[in-house]
Amino acid sequence: MAEANTHADIPASGSTKERILHTAARLFSERGFDNVSLRDITTEADVNIAAVNYHFGSKVGLLTVVFDHYAAPVNAARETLLDECDRKHGEAPPAVADVLWALLYPAFHAPATGEDGRYFRQMLGRMSSSANPDVRRILFNTFDNVAERFVDMMSRACPDLPKEELFWRLTCVYGAMMYAQADNGRIRTLAGETFDSTNMDDALKYMIPFLTAGFTQPPAAR
């Protein structure tokens, strides 16, 4: 089958594997995992089913590679920023804003800018609420190591917070991050089309102070 470029975001010079990867990321971001078939992906990428089976084995295998490919720079950037936070604060508790920056900045800016980055952010936002056990397993396995380090540093940043309250506040952080990533258009329907929910610099500008203020409140009254 001819390997023509059918979408502007898929490089014409890309290999069959790259086109499948980019197309899958885009379709998963638009529809979620369960609502996309291998036939949808191969039709959009202009390849045959055998190519998917050869390179990825299955749709679940394809999703695993999509996460490995796009999440690697996110995890690496988070580790680097958490290392910097450790060096900056030494034995003292790290600043909440610094820990939040280490979590959110890579999520909103890695992988590199462009359509692929936007697709992956939207895919993460959409799949974070998925009940599909394969999706949840891949998602958790991809991010668990860095997430555990993030939780540990936030615990050090807020030593007076009871554990239960710490995790409720973390729930708010993750919820805000995932909603901003998913960009489902809901806020634009309330704010009007002039509101640009795709501007990740604005997201960081407003979310970091807001979440920092919430996280640094005294523990709730018993």
Side-chain angles (χ1 to χ4, degrees), residues 134-217:
D134 289 321
V135 173
R136 293 170 66 86
R137 173 179 54 80
I138 293 168
L139 183 69
F140 294 167
N141 287 345
T142 300
F143 293 108
D144 268 2
N145 287 340
V146 177
E148 288 171 4
R149 187 177 177 194
F150 166 71
V151 171
D152 177 68
M153 291 193 70
M154 196 60 91
S155 299
R156 288 164 47 202
C158 304
D160 296 329
L161 275 183
K163 187 173 182 179
E164 181 179 9
E165 188 160 357
L166 172 80
F167 280 99
W168 273 115
R169 295 188 186 191
L170 286 171
T171 299
C172 296
V173 171
Y174 273 97
M177 177 180 69
M178 292 168 184
Y179 193 85
Q181 288 176 320
D183 187 24
N184 66 8
R186 174 56 180 154
I187 300 301
R188 283 197 304 276
T189 66
L190 301 173
E193 290 302 318
T194 57
F195 177 75
D196 182 8
S197 57
T198 67
N199 189 321
M200 294 295 99
D201 287 323
D202 277 355
L204 290 166
K205 174 183 176 181
Y206 295 114
M207 287 176 65
I208 295 288
F210 178 83
L211 293 172
T212 299
F215 226 103
T216 52
Q217 290 293 305

Side-chain angles (χ1 to χ4, degrees), residues 5-117:
N5 179 30
T6 56
H7 293 277
D9 56 289
I10 304 171
S13 60
S15 67
T16 296
K17 183 177 181 179
E18 288 172 334
R19 292 212 313 280
I20 295 170
L21 194 68
H22 297 323
T23 302
R26 177 172 60 81
L27 293 180
F28 290 154
S29 77
E30 293 170 350
R31 308 179 199 171
F33 180 76
D34 293 323
N35 295 322
V36 175
S37 68
L38 283 182
R39 179 65 63 188
D40 294 331
I41 295 168
T42 56
T43 299
E44 294 273 352
D46 196 15
V47 301
N48 55 46
I49 291 286
V52 177
N53 293 331
Y54 175 77
H55 289 293
F56 306 102
S58 65
K59 192 172 79 162
V60 171
L62 173 56
L63 181 65
T64 301
V65 175
V66 168
F67 267 86
D68 287 345
H69 178 79
Y70 291 109
V74 177
N75 282 334
R78 282 175 169 164
E79 290 282 10
T80 297
L81 290 171
L82 290 172
D83 287 344
E84 291 177 1
C85 189
D86 263 336
R87 287 193 296 270
K88 177 180 177 181
H89 296 282
E91 296 299 318
V96 168
D98 290 344
V99 182
L100 288 172
W101 181 267
L103 177 75
L104 297 178
Y105 181 86
F108 292 163
H109 281 288
T113 57
E115 293 297 275
D116 276 359

Side-chain angles (χ1 to χ4, degrees), residues 119-130:
Y119 294 147
F120 186 62
R121 287 194 301 272
Q122 291 178 338
M123 185 176 70
L124 283 178
R126 181 183 291 274
M127 292 189 177
S128 293
S129 60
S130 174

